[in-house]
């Protein structure tokens, strides 16, 4: 975790993230008890598009130093799954008829983290060339139907 007395700007934050993520200790999971090394970066939702630009730049920078990095936008992945399950258009057409709890229940059932989402991430991890680092963006857009 980055500890500072003042909030870092995105440029400084992403420079620091680049240093952390490209470090041997992070990539080899040294000193961590977690099965998968992870780093959570919170930001103001109003800065989402700026964040996306910085993540793309960070992926390119990591690739230039030999770290294979990829990005998955969780919101886009959820929309793709709803389309594959052929319920996206139905949900849009009937959204105004749903009560909030029913809509959340429907979405959370289809997009269960232990179901199809888990399968999608397992597919990525078992690819012939899985990335060393995966950035998951679009998480905030999935709340509250995905928890």
């Amino acid at each position: 975790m980055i500890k500072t007395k003042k909030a870092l700007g995105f440029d400084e934050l992403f420079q620091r993230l680049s240093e952390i993520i490209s470090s041997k200790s992070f990539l080899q999971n040294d000193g961590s008890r977690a099965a998968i090394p992870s780093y959570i970066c919170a930001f103001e939702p109003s800065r989402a598009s700026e964040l996306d630009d910085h993540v793309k730049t960070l992926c390119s920078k990591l690739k230039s130093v030999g770290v294979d990095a990829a990005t998955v936008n969780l919101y886009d992945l959820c929309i793709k799954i709803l389309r594959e399950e052929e319920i996206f258009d139905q949900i849009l057409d009937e959204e105004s008829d749903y009560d909030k709890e029913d809509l959340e229940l429907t979405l959370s059932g289809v997009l269960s983290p232990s179901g199809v989402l888990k399968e999608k991430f397992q597919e990525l991890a078992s690819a012939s060339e899985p990335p060393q680092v995966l950035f998951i963006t679009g998480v905030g857009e999935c709340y509250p139907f995905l928890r």
Side-chain angles (χ1 to χ4, degrees), residues 72-122:
V72 171
N73 183 300
L74 189 58
Y75 179 80
D76 292 344
L77 179 59
C78 288
I79 297 299
K80 180 181 177 184
I81 291 168
L82 293 172
R83 288 184 192 279
E84 288 173 354
E85 296 292 322
E86 299 180 355
I87 62 169
F88 181 76
D89 291 330
Q90 176 187 352
I91 289 171
L92 286 182
D93 292 342
E94 299 174 10
E95 180 182 11
S96 61
D97 297 335
Y98 279 102
D99 114 322
K100 182 180 176 183
E101 290 78 22
D102 287 341
L103 181 59
E104 285 179 21
L105 186 61
T106 299
L107 292 172
S108 64
V110 174
L111 300 170
S112 168
S114 62
V116 70
L117 275 174
K118 181 179 178 182
E119 291 171 16
K120 294 291 184 184
F121 281 102
Q122 285 174 332

